[in-house]
Amino acid sequence: ETGVTQSPTHLIKTRGQQVTLRCSSQSGHNTVSWYQQALGQGPQFIFQYYREEENGRGNFPPRFSGLQFPNYSSELNVNALELDDSALYLCASSSDRIPGNTIYFGEGSWLTVV
Amino acid sequence: AQTVTQSQPEMSVQEAETVTLSCTYDTSENNYYLFWYKQPPSRQMILVIRQEAYKQQNATENRFSVNFQKAAKSFSLKISDSQLGDTAMYFCAFMKPSNAGGTSYGKLTFGQGTILTVHP
């Protein structure tokens, strides 16, 4: 097991609602990245947080937003949920302090939008 | 922008045999990292092996090895002595090196994945 924990594990939301997913990073890791993985596809990079600021974003609309806290944990928020937002959301932690450091993934949060 | 292509949606192999998964990528960068990740039904993404582009020697990790062809932009994974526990989805991924003033570490571009089934 990695030291990256995500919550909740599974959740069901209604179209138009808002959702918050949480991630606690590996000890000593100061960078958190979020990915969306639709069923049967590879993960897609949503954004990364470094030093509590967004540090790069993939091709996702502004209704996907996030936060990073002083303890390096992070939240992913999605507003105005759409059916296509149904996916596995993966959090990954890493550190710029250790060259070549491994990137650790959490077990993901399954989001179903109905 | 980088792209990663895995042309084999599904592969199968008999237990104890060898299988090779293919991956090609496109980038204008000279230095970068390449990864193979394994994702079993539990959905936990597990690092299998990592290659740094400036290293000419192919990476190996026990039964797993890669054939890194930088000029051809090819990065295949060879699994020797396949085991039932190797059954999973395998993803090839690309990452740029850290950029000045920030960090690119952790921003992975994944391929579409290859489902590997190991038969007893």
Side-chain angles (χ1 to χ4, degrees):
Chain A
E1 289 189 5
T2 71
V4 182
T5 58
Q6 293 187 241
S7 62
T9 306
H10 295 83
L11 71 167
I12 300 173
K13 290 285 188 178
T14 303
R15 188 171 52 183
Q17 286 188 317
Q18 178 265 344
V19 68
T20 297
L21 308 178
R22 295 177 177 83
C23 172
S24 294
S25 60
Q26 172 85 5
S27 177
H29 283 193
N30 59 3
T31 304
V32 173
S33 303
W34 286 92
Y35 293 83
Q36 180 195 66
Q37 186 179 15
L39 197 62
Q41 298 183 21
Q44 299 291 316
F45 175 74
I46 302 174
F47 46 53
Q48 182 183 82
Y49 275 83
Y50 172 66
R51 295 181 178 177
E52 302 180 47
E53 293 188 355
E54 187 179 290
N55 183 48
R57 169 180 283 264
N59 189 26
F60 282 83
R63 59 189 186 85
F64 285 78
S65 63
L67 286 172
Q68 186 179 34
F69 300 98
N71 67 353
Y72 304 130
S73 66
S74 177
E75 289 183 353
L76 164 64
N77 299 290
V78 186
N79 294 322
L81 283 167
E82 301 177 359
L83 297 179
D84 285 348
D85 296 334
S86 295
L88 178 70
Y89 288 84
L90 294 167
C91 167
S93 76
S94 55
S95 174
D96 68 331
R97 299 169 184 163
I98 307 173
N101 195 17
T102 299
I103 300 163
Y104 291 99
F105 281 84
E107 295 187 359
S109 294
W110 275 106
L111 171 65
T112 302
V113 182
V114 297
Chain B
Q2 287 67 232
T3 59
V4 178
T5 302
Q6 294 177 248
S7 58
Q8 305 155 313
E10 295 186 41
M11 294 281 285
S12 64
V13 64
Q14 292 296 125
E15 196 174 8
E17 293 187 346
T18 296
V19 64
T20 298
L21 308 184
S22 301
C23 172
T24 58
Y25 58 93
D26 187 25
T27 184
S28 58
E29 303 284 340
N30 186 51
N31 192 24
Y32 45 86
Y33 299 90
L34 294 165
F35 305 84
W36 278 98
Y37 279 91
K38 167 185 176 181
Q39 189 177 44
S42 68
R43 308 302 283 183
Q44 174 85 58
M45 195 72 78
I46 301 165
L47 177 65
V48 175
I49 200 164
R50 175 177 62 196
Q51 175 80 42
E52 295 164 7
Y54 66 86
K55 291 185 177 179
Q56 293 185 344
Q57 186 173 8
N58 289 325
T60 62
E61 287 286 343
N62 301 313
R63 298 182 294 108
F64 300 89
S65 62
V66 298
N67 183 6
F68 173 48
Q69 301 289 328
K70 190 173 183 179
K73 297 181 181 176
S74 171
F75 184 60
S76 61
L77 174 70
K78 185 172 81 171
I79 306 174
S80 303
D81 186 25
S82 295
Q83 301 176 0
L84 297 178
D86 295 334
T87 293
M89 175 83 92
Y90 285 81
F91 290 99
C92 177
F94 171 99
M95 187 178 71
K96 291 194 297 184
S98 296
N99 54 331
T103 177
S104 293
Y105 210 86
K107 298 175 185 174
L108 295 159
T109 300
F110 286 86
Q112 307 93 315
T114 297
I115 299 173
L116 175 66
T117 303
V118 180
H119 297 285

